[in-house]
């Protein structure tokens, strides 16, 4: 069955009133898109022997195969909560002898058989099973169970379909890239290799902001030929992820609103299963109201682990990625629980925003709330999600629609882009919270005190620069923050510990540089910090030098050293932190001045950001940043 919105996507169905169209909500896949992906994320051979392929599975006698997996399930609870779909039809082509059962679960993972068919000596026979979407408000899903006794059974071309609520709806895919040529080409090649998934979208727009352009590679020409007229390739100066993704939204929503397209934003460096295009576009086409529909993130280095299934942020505390109660976090999707049942997001959890590693934004939402803020990097997706919520538009992080993205836990916190995490978090707090000066200042002081005492002087300067720039007001966003990105790199280059070195450059004789693990966390962080500060001021230490593993690099441990060789979180190198009392005192004095200024000027700055919100997110402002006449 072909896919939508081309003639291939929606299959007409005969009814008493004539013809109605059905939409493929997801395909039944038994194997992943790459050998780097565990096949058990798609289907599991519970017993016996089976040969799994991408779109078909062949069961030997006395075998059972289940699709009660992350990608194999239809997560019905999300369909009942957010759409008006009342039943799912499952079609499959079968050959041989066996049983095909449509299974369902409730909120407690208790399974039931919804419908079943026995086939005997079938030869490429099409069967259909129907599952009501009527008992899943709090949780539950549906999947297939295939079994054989004495014969062999092949099942292929599985399609889960729903009524096409908005036929002709167009979605464009937008990829923002910056000097990740091979990664981006791999993502485009994955799309081009799956014509059925590709037929779900209108244009595939690549916004290239790098100095190493995609079009310089011979492989790009091959992919461009495969994508044909769908491909739109745009080069522009580097305006960060916000500027790159917004360009896609900008181009998809120009002219007559009748010609506007929804936009599926996608990172350039993901490992892509093109099936996500089918699932996000189908779900978005059926939501009761315009809804941001996000794909979930699985970890690239650990591909069986789900990063998080639903999250929220606390802008005043500069905290993101916190799990909504009941959400899976860093979950091992091939594991089993205490009842020996698969790990799934059985109960529905509602997210507050979704990262733009893969996220579909309807055109109507863009028309209503405007474009993203020109934040350059970080918090752009979070701010946009909260702005949509404030206008009554929800976000759904759809299980079973995922991409593999570089593990966040393997990225070091002490990087140049932490400036944007801090500055943009303050901007988001100004726009979407009560902006409690007391609460924010306490948090800033806590972070700064920990950075200084653990010899992260460059990170301390990064935080202070972020606060000072925030206080300068919305004018700092006038150039899309391109100058700020260059300036923070210059500032951080002055601090030795911000640079990662190869392990071959470890200082000292290895006999003097032993691994020293952290003890238990302190019972009182405040008293421990005072004790460490006393060490600093009196030039005392517990350890002269030592090697600190990344997982042990807590402030209360590193601060016991005169010099600590700390493993970078990427495990690709080291950072050398050396105590410098004079520098620590300089940063502390600067912090005192900056925080006094924040207390005095913060409320006014917050009001200025709110007043400029409409201008900053306007089409005219982005046209100016892009140098376009619009």
């Amino acid at each position: 069955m072909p896919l939508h919105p081309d003639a291939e996507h929606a299959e007409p169905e005969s009814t008493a009133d004539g013809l109605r169209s059905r939409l493929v909500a997801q395909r039944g896949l038994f194997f992943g898109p790459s050998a780097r992906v565990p096949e058990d994320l798609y289907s599991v051979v519970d017993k016996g022997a089976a040969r799994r392929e991408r779109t078909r599975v062949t069961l030997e006698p006395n075998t059972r195969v289940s699709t009660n997996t992350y990608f194999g399930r239809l997560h019905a609870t999300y369909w009942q909560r957010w759409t008006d779909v009342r039943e799912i039809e499952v079609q499959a082509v079968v050959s041989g002898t066996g049983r095909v059962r449509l299974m369902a679960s409730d909120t407690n993972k208790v399974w039931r058989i919804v419908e079943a068919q026995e086939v005997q000596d079938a030869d490429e026979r099409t069967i259909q099973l129907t599952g009501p979407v009527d008992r899943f408000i709090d949780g539950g899903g549906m999947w297939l169970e295939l079994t054989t006794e004495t014969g062999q059974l092949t099942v292929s071309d599985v399609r889960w379909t729903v009524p096409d609520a908005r036929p002709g709806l167009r979605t464009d895919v937008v990829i923002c890239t910056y000097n990740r040529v091979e990664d981006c080409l791999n993502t485009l090649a994955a799309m081009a290799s799956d014509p059925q998934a590709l037929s779900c979208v209108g244009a595939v727009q690549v916004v290239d902001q790098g100095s190493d352009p995609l079009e310089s590679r011979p492989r790009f020409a091959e992919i461009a030929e495969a994508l044909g007229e769908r491909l739109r390739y745009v080069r522009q100066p580097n305006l960060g992820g916000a500027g790159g993704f917004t360009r896609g939204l900008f181009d998809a929503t120009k002219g007559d609103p009748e010609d506007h397209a929804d936009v599926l934003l996608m990172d350039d460096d993901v490992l892509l299963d093109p099936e996500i295009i089918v699932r996000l576009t189908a779900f978005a086409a059926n939501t009761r109201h315009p809804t941001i529909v996000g794909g979930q993130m699985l970890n690239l280095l650990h591909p069986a682990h789900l990063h998080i299934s639903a999250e929220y942020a606390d802008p005043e505390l500069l905290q993101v990625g916190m799990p909504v109660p009941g959400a899976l976090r860093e979950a091992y999707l091939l594991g089993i629980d205490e009842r020996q049942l698969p790990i799934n997001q059985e109960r529905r959890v509602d997210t507050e925003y979704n990262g733009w590693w893969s996220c579909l934004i309807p055109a109507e939402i863009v028309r209503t709330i405007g474009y993203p803020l020109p934040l350059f990097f970080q918090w752009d997706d979070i701010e946009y999600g909260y702005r949509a919520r404030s206008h009554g538009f929800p976000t759904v992080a759809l299980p079973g629609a995922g991409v593999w993205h570089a593990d966040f836990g393997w990225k070091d916190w002490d990087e140049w882009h932490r400036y944007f995490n801090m500055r943009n978090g303050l901007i988001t707090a100004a726009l979407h919270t009560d902006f409690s000066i007391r609460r924010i200042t306490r948090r800033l002081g806590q972070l700064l005190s920990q950075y200084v005492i653990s010899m992260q002087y460059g990170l301390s300067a990064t935080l202070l620069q972020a606060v000072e720039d925030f206080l300068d007001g919305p004018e700092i966003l006038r150039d899309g923050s391109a100058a700020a990105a260059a300036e923070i790199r210059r500032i951080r280059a002055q601090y030795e510990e911000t640079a990662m070195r190869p392990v071959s450059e470890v200082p000292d004789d290895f006999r003097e540089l032993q691994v020293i693990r952290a003890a238990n966390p302190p019972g009182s962080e405040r008293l421990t910090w005072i004790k460490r500060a006393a060490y600093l001021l009196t030039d005392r230490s517990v350890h002269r030098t030592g090697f600190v593993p990344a997982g042990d690099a807590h402030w209360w441990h590193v601060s016991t050293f005169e010099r600590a060789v700390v493993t970078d979180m990427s495990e690709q190198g080291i950072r050398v932190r050396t105590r410098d009392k004079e520098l620590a005192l300089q940063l502390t004095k600067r912090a005192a001045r900056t925080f006094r200024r924040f207390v005095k000027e913060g409320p006014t700055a917050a009001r200025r950001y709110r007043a400029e919100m409409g201008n900053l997110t306007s089409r005219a402002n982005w046209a100016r940043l892009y140098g376009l006449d619009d």
Side-chain angles (χ1 to χ4, degrees):
M1 185 196 308
L3 306 177
H4 174 69
D6 294 347
E8 297 185 29
H9 181 60
E11 177 174 286
E13 178 182 274
S14 297
T15 68
D17 300 323
L19 293 176
R20 64 186 176 92
S21 183
R22 293 193 66 82
L23 190 65
V24 177
Q26 67 182 55
R27 297 174 292 180
L29 304 173
F30 301 98
F31 207 90
S34 163
R36 297 171 60 189
V37 173
E39 50 270 25
D40 283 4
L41 288 174
Y42 290 79
S43 63
V44 175
V45 182
D46 286 331
K47 72 169 186 177
R51 184 172 67 256
R52 289 172 287 180
E53 302 172 62
R54 179 71 167 156
T55 60
R56 72 171 57 224
V57 61
T58 299
L59 289 72
E60 297 301 323
N62 195 29
T63 293
R64 180 172 64 243
V65 172
S66 170
T67 67
N68 187 20
T69 63
Y70 178 79
F71 288 106
R73 289 166 60 99
L74 182 129
H75 297 265
T77 181
Y78 291 82
W79 283 88
Q80 184 166 357
R81 171 65 181 89
W82 299 107
T83 79
D84 287 323
V85 170
R86 288 294 166 259
E87 67 176 23
I88 299 283
E89 292 181 3
V90 187
Q91 292 184 348
V93 177
V94 298
S95 296
T97 300
R99 296 186 187 92
V100 179
R101 292 188 176 102
L102 177 59
M103 310 291 291
S105 61
D106 62 18
T107 56
N108 297 314
K109 297 189 178 181
V110 179
W111 59 264
R112 63 185 185 272
I113 300 174
V114 177
E115 191 175 356
Q117 286 201 27
E118 289 204 45
V119 294
Q120 183 74 34
D121 298 327
D123 183 13
E124 296 290 313
R125 174 184 157 196
T126 299
I127 63 170
Q128 180 172 299
L129 305 168
T130 301
V133 183
D134 60 353
R135 296 177 182 270
F136 301 99
I137 291 179
D138 290 333
M142 288 188 271
W143 66 92
L144 293 181
E145 182 181 272
L146 317 173
T147 60
T148 58
E149 298 296 335
T150 59
Q152 189 182 73
L153 178 68
T154 296
V155 178
S156 64
D157 301 315
V158 177
R159 298 287 186 271
W160 301 69
T161 69
V162 298
D164 191 354
R166 290 188 285 171
L169 183 68
R170 190 176 109 242
T171 301
D172 291 349
V173 172
V174 173
I175 299 174
C176 170
T177 188
Y178 177 80
N179 291 349
R180 287 174 173 160
V181 176
E182 291 306 315
D183 287 337
C184 189
L185 290 175
N186 288 342
T187 300
L188 290 170
M191 285 187 202
S193 71
D194 193 332
Q196 288 185 323
L198 192 61
S199 69
C200 296
V201 301
V204 176
Q205 179 163 341
V206 179
V207 182
D208 192 342
Q209 302 184 128
S211 57
D212 183 11
L214 264 67
E215 61 184 349
S216 67
R217 302 294 202 278
R219 190 174 166 213
F220 176 78
E222 299 171 6
I223 294 172
E225 183 178 0
L227 291 173
E229 295 182 356
R230 277 193 174 85
L231 180 65
R232 290 201 303 248
Y233 181 67
V234 176
R235 291 196 64 191
Q236 66 181 30
N238 184 22
L239 292 170
F245 283 132
T246 300
R247 179 61 185 269
L249 292 167
F250 184 92
D251 290 344
T253 54
K254 65 183 177 182
D256 188 343
E258 293 296 321
D259 296 329
H260 290 181
D262 294 352
V263 174
L264 173 53
L265 306 176
M266 189 170 295
D267 273 351
D268 56 353
D269 59 342
V270 298
L271 173 57
L272 175 68
D273 187 333
E275 174 67 10
I276 193 175
I277 301 173
V278 177
R279 299 186 184 191
L280 293 185
T281 56
F283 191 88
N286 278 276
T287 55
R288 294 186 189 92
H289 310 288
T291 300
I292 296 174
V293 185
Q296 296 184 339
M297 172 186 148
L298 293 91
N299 293 335
L300 188 60
L301 285 175
H302 306 90
H305 289 257
L306 176 69
H307 168 55
I308 196 168
S309 57
E311 57 192 311
Y312 72 100
D314 189 333
E316 289 185 341
L317 296 183
L318 305 181
Q319 290 182 333
V320 301
M322 294 181 289
V324 171
L328 295 177
R329 183 178 190 181
E330 299 305 326
Y332 180 53
L333 298 175
L334 302 185
I336 54 176
D337 64 16
E338 65 280 358
R339 293 186 293 162
Q340 307 300 301
L341 296 173
I343 301 294
N344 283 309
Q345 185 65 64
E346 201 71 64
R347 286 185 174 268
R348 193 192 77 253
V349 287
D350 297 331
T351 197
E352 296 191 357
Y353 67 90
N354 200 95
W356 284 354
W357 45 74
S358 187
C359 188
L360 190 152
I361 301 177
E364 184 173 338
I365 293 180
V366 179
R367 289 195 295 269
T368 303
I369 75 173
Y371 295 93
L373 280 168
L375 297 178
F376 193 84
F377 190 61
Q378 300 204 345
W379 284 89
D380 47 348
D381 46 6
I382 300 168
E383 187 282 322
Y384 201 81
Y386 278 108
R387 196 186 336 155
R389 284 176 68 84
S390 70
H391 284 78
F393 298 114
T395 296
V396 174
L398 187 63
V403 294
W404 288 268
H405 185 280
D407 307 32
F408 288 161
W410 285 60
K411 294 183 177 182
D412 205 277
W413 183 258
D414 194 355
E415 293 288 353
W416 66 270
H417 44 73
R418 209 52 58 198
Y419 163 86
F420 290 104
N421 181 278
M422 298 165 181
R423 189 203 70 177
N424 296 347
L426 292 172
I427 294 173
T428 304
L431 296 172
H432 299 292
T433 74
D434 294 334
F435 204 72
S436 168
I437 291 293
R438 181 177 180 181
R439 188 167 185 249
I440 298 171
T441 304
R442 185 187 302 119
R443 176 60 171 169
L444 293 172
Q446 177 192 41
L447 292 174
L448 193 282
S449 64
Q450 293 175 0
Y451 296 160
V452 169
I453 207 70
S454 59
M455 302 176 285
Q456 291 182 288
Y457 305 122
L459 188 55
S460 300
T462 301
L463 182 150
L464 295 173
Q465 190 68 40
V467 176
E468 291 162 1
D469 286 356
F470 165 79
L471 292 173
D472 287 344
E475 290 78 13
I476 63 170
L477 303 179
R478 179 163 179 78
D479 68 341
S481 298
E487 177 64 9
I488 198 60
R489 286 187 176 98
R490 186 194 67 78
I491 291 171
R492 286 175 55 84
Q494 302 172 35
Y495 298 90
E496 179 187 29
E497 83 284 349
T498 63
M500 183 178 70
R501 308 180 187 180
V503 71
S504 59
E505 294 184 11
V506 170
D508 297 343
D509 189 299
F510 74 90
R511 291 167 295 187
E512 297 180 5
L513 200 66
Q514 298 300 304
V515 172
I516 301 177
R517 301 293 304 274
N520 294 327
S524 170
E525 289 195 1
R526 181 174 178 272
L527 292 177
T528 299
W529 186 89
I530 292 173
K531 185 177 180 179
R532 300 294 189 266
Y535 285 169
L536 170 66
L537 294 173
T538 58
D539 294 316
R540 290 184 296 151
S541 64
V542 177
H543 309 288
R544 187 187 69 81
T545 190
F547 206 120
V548 180
D552 289 311
H554 313 292
W555 68 265
W556 40 265
H557 179 54
V558 177
S559 56
T560 63
F561 294 80
E562 290 183 27
R563 184 182 59 180
V565 177
V566 180
T567 306
D568 186 88
M569 284 300 297
S570 69
E571 296 280 352
Q572 294 178 317
I574 59 166
R575 296 172 186 246
V576 181
R577 304 190 201 174
T578 305
R579 181 183 288 180
D580 187 329
K581 183 169 69 173
E582 293 305 315
L583 182 54
L585 291 174
Q586 289 175 21
L587 288 166
T588 302
K589 291 176 182 177
R590 178 184 172 189
R593 294 192 300 270
T594 300
F595 293 162
R596 282 197 298 269
R597 183 185 167 201
F598 182 80
V599 171
K600 180 180 179 181
E601 302 176 20
T604 300
R607 288 192 292 270
R608 292 177 62 201
Y609 282 103
R610 293 177 197 136
E612 281 297 305
M613 178 70 160
N615 292 330
L616 290 170
T617 61
S618 68
R619 187 173 182 85
N621 186 49
W622 280 106
R624 178 187 63 80
L625 287 168
Y626 296 137
L628 300 174
D629 295 324
D630 187 58

